Amino acid sequence: MSSKNPDTRHRILEAARTMLEEEKAPKVRMGDIAKAAGISRQALYLHFPTRAELLVATARFLDEVNGADAKFAACSEARTGRERLDAFIQAWGGYIPEIYGVGRALLAMQDTDEAARAAWEDRMQAVRSGCRSAVEMLDSDGSLCSEVTAERAVDLLWTLLSVRNWEQLTQACGWSQAEYVREMQALAQRALIRAEN
Amino acid sequence: MSSKNPDTRHRILEAARTMLEEEKAPKVRMGDIAKAAGISRQALYLHFPTRAELLVATARFLDEVNGADAKFAACSEARTGRERLDAFIQAWGGYIPEIYGVGRALLAMQDTDEAARAAWEDRMQAVRSGCRSAVEMLDSDGSLCSEVTAERAVDLLWTLLSVRNWEQLTQACGWSQAEYVREMQALAQRALIRAEN
DNA sequence: CCCTTTGCTTGACACTGTGTAAAGTTGACA
DNA sequence: TGTCAACTTTACACAGTGTCAAGCAAAGGG
């Protein structure tokens, strides 16, 4: 639509990706990204009208580069609910650190920018639908814990796997990624899967 | 130290409390609070040097007014680990909505303001120590799930009970406060308590 | 009754970051 | 040679935080 040189656009996205990988993603400014892309701030606005839109585009770009969709899709090859749950949590454990920086930046502006909030929510639908498919399989499997409805279980799982949780457990509690994934697999199993009696 | 009229200070805190109770706490500005307190913006800065410090003071004020400490302390009267876990989750379920607004405001600026981040973390120590005492009792009780260490369980519980989770489940998933507390009690029990065999 | 201090007021302003506007430059292409 | 597209530079509006300086009004002591 409004974009000009697709090459420049690509350079911007690459620059944004690199910048936003770093620790302090929410502090990355438009000017920083422009400088890293080797263009002026105004040229940046020619390609992306707002910061939120640039961040969203970067998130999409990241997903594309990392083949996020394919990784999630691969989970549906699992043949039991339990396997799918594990596969999904594993996939998610790899996904979150990939988009962590951009996600943090987007989340940080969600209070002031409704578009950013909606965009991030939209982004998270991939994760949420992964939760849903895992839980549905548990349900049809008969392995879903009888004390929880499928709908409830989706919400719970989705919340357990939110970026915020990841953040809290890795940063404040010092958990490693591997620990986190393992622990969440165990937690989800204990909380969602019918106890074998 | 720097404070002048303690009466004015109190009026400010009351005004801040009221303003921050509302939906869009992170958007509440210094000027808004000053106006609500019936003073000028500059007078506000005479009492609280930064926005972060005002928010922290407001949080403390809220805790005091609501007798938060007493409510958490009452949990230790429980005589079994299970009871204490339930009592604590119940207390927490009442606490979070009380400080929700201020907490949201503080969390929203944690990326740009290190002081705000540290202050909120500090505030959350009350909740975290509640988690610790509940888990410790489960542990000495013999009712803690054998698959998880006590330290791990504290981290997990703390994360389950974070404001962000509350937020996600109530806002995005439409859960009510009562549902949330009930469901978290159940989840914590399934995830942390040894299965009766 | 004056005089000082205290607590606040008003008005101006620096600073940061986003986003807009306008005019100038450069290179490709016809 | 002329024109168009993509980008540049400079300037600026706007919002919000925090600072500074001068003024004012009331309380209280000499």
Side-chain angles (χ1 to χ4, degrees), chain A residues 150-197:
Chain A
E151 191 51 43
R152 230 37 169 199
V154 174
D155 288 350
L156 279 176
L157 189 56
W158 188 47
T159 303
L160 290 182
L161 303 188
S162 81
V163 171
R164 301 292 194 181
N165 269 321
W166 158 274
E167 195 177 344
Q168 187 151 338
L169 282 171
T170 54
Q171 285 185 7
C173 306
W175 294 30
S176 74
Q177 181 187 339
E179 282 174 309
Y180 187 81
V181 171
R182 188 164 7 93
E183 210 74 37
M184 278 297 150
Q185 265 169 343
L187 177 61
Q189 289 217 357
R190 287 198 302 277
L192 300 181
I193 290 184
R194 180 191 297 277
E196 309 150 13
N197 54 342

Side-chain angles (χ1 to χ4, degrees), chain A residues 4-5 8 39-40 42-43 47:
Chain A
K4 305 298 171 169
N5 185 343
T8 305
I39 59 166
S40 68
Q42 282 65 17
H47 289 267

Side-chain angles (χ1 to χ4, degrees), chain B residues 154-172:
Chain B
V154 174
D155 288 352
L156 280 175
L157 189 57
W158 187 47
T159 303
L160 290 182
L161 304 188
S162 82
V163 170
R164 301 291 193 181
N165 268 321
W166 158 275
E167 193 176 348
Q168 186 151 339
L169 281 170
T170 55
Q171 285 185 8

